[in-house]
Amino acid sequence: MKTFYITTPIYYINGKPSIGHAYTAIAADILARYHRMLGEEVMFQTGTDENSQKNVEAAKERDVKEYLDEMAALWERTFDSLGLTHNRFIRTTEVAHYNSVEKFWKTVESKGDIYLGSYEGLYCQGCEAFVNESDLVDDQCPHHKKVPKTIKENNYFFRLTKYRDDLLAYIDEHPDFIQPEARRNEVLSYVRNFMTDISISRETMNWGIPVPGDEKHRVYVWFDALINYLSGVGYVDDTTAFEKWWPANLHLVGKDIIKFHCALWPAMLMSAGLPLPKNVFAHGFFTIDGQKMSKSLGNTVDPVEMAEKYGNDVLRYFLFREIPFGGDGDFSEARLVGRYNTDLANELGNLVNRVLTMTEKYTNGTVPEVADGFLAGAWPSYHLALEENRLSDALDIVWGLIRQANQFIDQQQPWQLAKLEEKKMLNDTLYVLLETLRHIAWMLYPFMPTTAEKMFVQLGLETPKEFSQSFESAWVWGELKSGHKLAKGEPLFPRKE
Ligand code: MSP
């Protein structure tokens, strides 16, 4: 069976999840569900980045581990309530992860890629990274609006520059490794012109994973965090699982952490003699009123609140229809309500309601004889879009079908056909519409699983709980059998004011 290993970044838990964090995780869920629908065995991993100093600061006087347990549980509960289907929720305070970091460190050290040096520079706690003077705006980190600290320490360094040529060659030979294109160019320029060896330990910290063999140092949080992608799938404790899942098919990340994932991480893997992930895809940022949303700025939108108010499916739909995946966007509740009323209530909801009402009226709620329909190239373009992580394009394709079906009703005017007793034409029209709805439900499943299931129920079909390869046949035209009984339900999206 084909496997698909997809990851999200692991999250800092010095606050509760914002809609920006949920965005990466929901995107991963959409792709995970899509690959399950293709019949693949999927490992969808997400989790928490717990060895950061900012988590320690957030714990204040409390016991740090106790604080982290509470926050990690909160994040996991949030992801569950958002309907995410991750298979593994990793925490970097897990023993397996500690052991993975130790093994990884020793492997890289034995390659001669770690050396002791001293470092003086500006450090931004928000980024958990050294920053250059030239990155600052008014002496502040532009992302976190804080003045970075000057740090002078003896640190262990990773020979990142040793891998410069190999990285450039790899990126050149694997055009799909970094996406989208703009991000690839950004990484290339960084690797070529700016990349230096990187400090991978902290001497002055009392939280984090101790450096093997020199316990007064702690491993730099990014060096530790990236290794989660290995520890989650058995790097130290399960060779069979590790061989099955590694290398990952897709690391989904925000554009702010592309250098870590596309330069540091591949170089670390090269040093450790491990294969590189097949694809790193960076999505954009969305803003609230044009401002970057962040815990440090305090202008976050709570995804749970949005989901409770509008439903998970509506939130998922809005995020991935409104913002082209890979680009930047702006979040606005008013636009969410707007799209709810136009796209969901008027277009999708109305279509389902009209078709089922007419079928009840004209054929007593049974599926007529099979007739030819108009799916044309929808499936191939839909698959291609998702293969290339173009989530909003995939939704555009589905909405193309929805509009086509609504227009088809207006053209055919089934009520006229009934009046004129054009039985064959009426039945054919209804069949085409019902079967199109079935295909639409399948296409919607990764994006709007609850809506898709409701559509399946209304079409009198089993809901796709378990996926297997045989589902490919479900996407063939004509699978909805004549004589089959429908089960019209409540409107899917009642209009909102
Ligand atoms: N802990 C690191 C990642 C380590 S991965 C080995 C980290 N954590 S984070 O909590 O700050 O961010 C996690 C993800 O959320 C990132 O992909 C980031 O880009 C994303 N987002 C946070 N705010 C966002 C928006 N406002 N918009 C879109 N994505 C945002 O970085």
Side-chain angles (χ1 to χ4, degrees):
M1 203 193 243
K2 216 173 146 193
T3 57
F4 188 77
Y5 177 24
I6 180 168
T7 66
T8 72
I10 48 172
Y11 298 89
Y12 295 129
I13 48 178
N14 53 334
K16 57 183 192 169
S18 82
I19 199 133
H21 303 121
Y23 184 64
T24 324
I26 295 173
D29 186 67
I30 290 170
L31 290 167
R33 285 176 186 266
Y34 170 67
H35 282 271
R36 287 191 197 108
M37 180 170 118
L38 290 180
E40 295 171 17
E41 196 182 347
V42 171
M43 172 63 72
F44 166 16
Q45 175 168 299
T46 187
T48 47
D49 192 347
E50 304 194 4
N51 301 317
S52 160
Q53 194 62 31
K54 49 184 168 187
N55 295 338
V56 178
E57 278 164 23
K60 302 213 176 81
E61 277 94 64
R62 294 185 56 189
D63 176 71
V64 180
K65 187 61 173 56
E66 198 186 281
Y67 169 81
L68 292 172
D69 287 348
E70 201 178 291
M71 290 305 280
L74 169 79
W75 278 69
E76 197 170 1
R77 264 200 320 275
T78 303
F79 284 3
D80 287 342
S81 79
L82 290 172
L84 305 189
T85 55
H86 46 277
N87 311 82
R88 175 83 162 91
F89 190 94
I90 191 170
R91 301 181 52 190
T92 53
T93 44
E94 284 173 24
V95 178
H97 180 70
Y98 263 59
N99 293 340
S100 294
V101 172
E102 186 180 355
K103 173 174 166 180
F104 195 92
W105 182 288
K106 286 183 176 159
T107 312
V108 171
E109 192 173 40
S110 70
K111 274 288 215 42
D113 287 346
I114 295 179
Y115 64 92
L116 198 57
S118 75
Y119 195 92
E120 180 169 359
L122 295 170
Y123 195 82
C124 171
Q125 190 87 76
C127 300
E128 284 283 18
F130 284 102
V131 291
N132 296 321
E133 203 110 27
S134 59
D135 299 329
L136 306 181
V137 178
D138 295 333
D139 295 332
Q140 293 182 332
C141 160
H143 302 301
H144 298 93
K145 309 269 192 261
K146 285 207 177 112
V147 179
K149 295 182 196 156
T150 303
I151 290 189
K152 188 173 179 199
E153 297 186 1
N154 291 325
N155 293 154
Y156 286 96
F157 281 75
F158 173 59
R159 277 186 216 286
L160 186 51
T161 51
K162 176 175 157 189
Y163 294 94
R164 191 189 316 272
D165 292 344
D166 290 346
L167 276 173
L168 291 172
Y170 189 88
I171 297 169
D172 194 52
E173 282 157 24
H174 299 83
D176 292 340
F177 176 50
I178 305 170
Q179 286 173 322
E181 185 74 23
R183 301 278 95 87
R184 181 169 183 259
N185 296 333
E186 187 185 317
V187 171
L188 278 171
S189 151
Y190 164 72
V191 173
R192 238 184 244 126
N193 307 316
F194 302 103
M195 196 173 82
T196 57
D197 285 354
I198 178 172
S199 149
I200 53 165
S201 73
R202 285 290 105 83
E203 206 185 1
T204 48
M205 269 177 37
N206 54 4
W207 185 252
I209 303 179
V211 166
D214 193 351
E215 316 258 306
K216 67 178 193 300
H217 289 260
R218 302 290 169 134
V219 176
Y220 170 48
V221 66
W222 268 101
F223 195 84
D224 141 4
L226 288 161
I227 296 169
N228 93 83
Y229 301 132
L230 306 177
S231 9
V233 290
Y235 176 57
V236 269
D237 48 10
D238 189 343
T239 321
T240 319
F242 190 65
E243 277 168 8
K244 176 171 173 184
W245 297 110
W246 192 258
N249 296 75
L250 178 57
H251 291 321
L252 274 189
V253 298
K255 67 177 185 180
D256 54 328
I257 52 177
I258 192 95
K259 283 182 212 157
F260 292 109
H261 282 85
C262 299
L264 176 59
W265 179 227
M268 283 166 66
L269 290 166
M270 284 173 177
S271 171
L274 291 168
L276 306 196
K278 297 195 182 111
N279 182 205
V280 180
F281 185 93
H283 62 71
F285 259 69
F286 50 90
T287 48
I288 306 282
D289 305 321
Q291 276 264 38
K292 178 184 163 179
M293 175 177 28
S294 80
K295 285 174 285 213
S296 335
L297 293 180
N299 61 342
T300 56
V301 168
D302 184 347
V304 177
E305 218 172 89
M306 284 296 133
E308 275 170 0
K309 204 157 161 193
Y310 301 101
N312 282 335
D313 279 19
V314 175
L315 180 63
R316 290 164 77 102
Y317 173 73
F318 176 72
L319 289 176
F320 293 95
R321 186 77 197 282
E322 177 84 1
I323 304 164
F325 197 53
D328 295 327
D330 193 59
F331 185 90
S332 125
E333 196 175 340
R335 274 204 309 284
L336 184 149
V337 175
R339 277 203 180 267
Y340 176 95
N341 283 329
T342 53
D343 307 5
L344 297 177
N346 287 358
E347 294 184 328
L348 174 59
N350 219 5
L351 173 68
V352 173
N353 195 47
R354 283 166 101 188
V355 173
L356 282 146
T357 306
M358 290 189 297
T359 312
E360 265 192 344
K361 191 159 169 196
Y362 303 130
T363 66
N364 217 0
T366 39
V367 178
E369 287 297 306
V370 179
D372 285 343
F374 50 67
L375 283 182
W379 274 114
S381 353
Y382 172 89
H383 288 310
L384 187 67
L386 287 176
E387 209 51 55
E388 297 176 351
N389 305 318
R390 290 182 285 113
L391 303 189
S392 18
D393 288 353
L395 280 174
D396 279 342
I397 292 158
V398 186
W399 253 259
L401 269 183
I402 293 171
R403 291 197 182 125
Q404 219 179 328
N406 272 322
Q407 278 161 12
F408 186 63
I409 299 179
D410 300 342
Q411 255 167 35
Q412 296 295 99
Q413 306 196 343
W415 48 95
Q416 287 296 350
L417 297 176
K419 230 186 248 163
L420 301 170
E421 293 190 21
E422 288 281 3
K423 253 204 138 51
K424 164 102 173 89
M425 218 193 273
L426 175 62
N427 285 348
D428 285 358
T429 302
L430 290 177
Y431 185 85
V432 168
L433 289 165
L434 288 165
E435 176 64 344
T436 304
L437 280 186
R438 192 179 69 82
H439 285 265
I440 289 171
W442 274 110
M443 289 181 183
L444 281 180
Y445 172 76
F447 293 90
M448 307 179 77
T450 311
T451 305
E453 289 192 5
K454 283 185 189 160
M455 288 174 69
F456 282 117
V457 169
Q458 297 211 20
L459 291 168
L461 298 168
E462 303 261 315
T463 59
K465 287 268 182 286
E466 298 286 333
F467 291 105
S468 72
Q469 239 117 20
S470 68
F471 277 100
E472 226 166 287
S473 71
W475 304 333
V476 171
W477 183 267
E479 270 299 295
L480 190 65
K481 299 294 176 232
S482 73
H484 183 91
K485 207 73 181 136
L486 308 178
K488 184 172 175 284
E490 295 294 301
L492 292 177
F493 302 101
R495 276 190 73 85
K496 280 198 200 305
E497 290 319 314

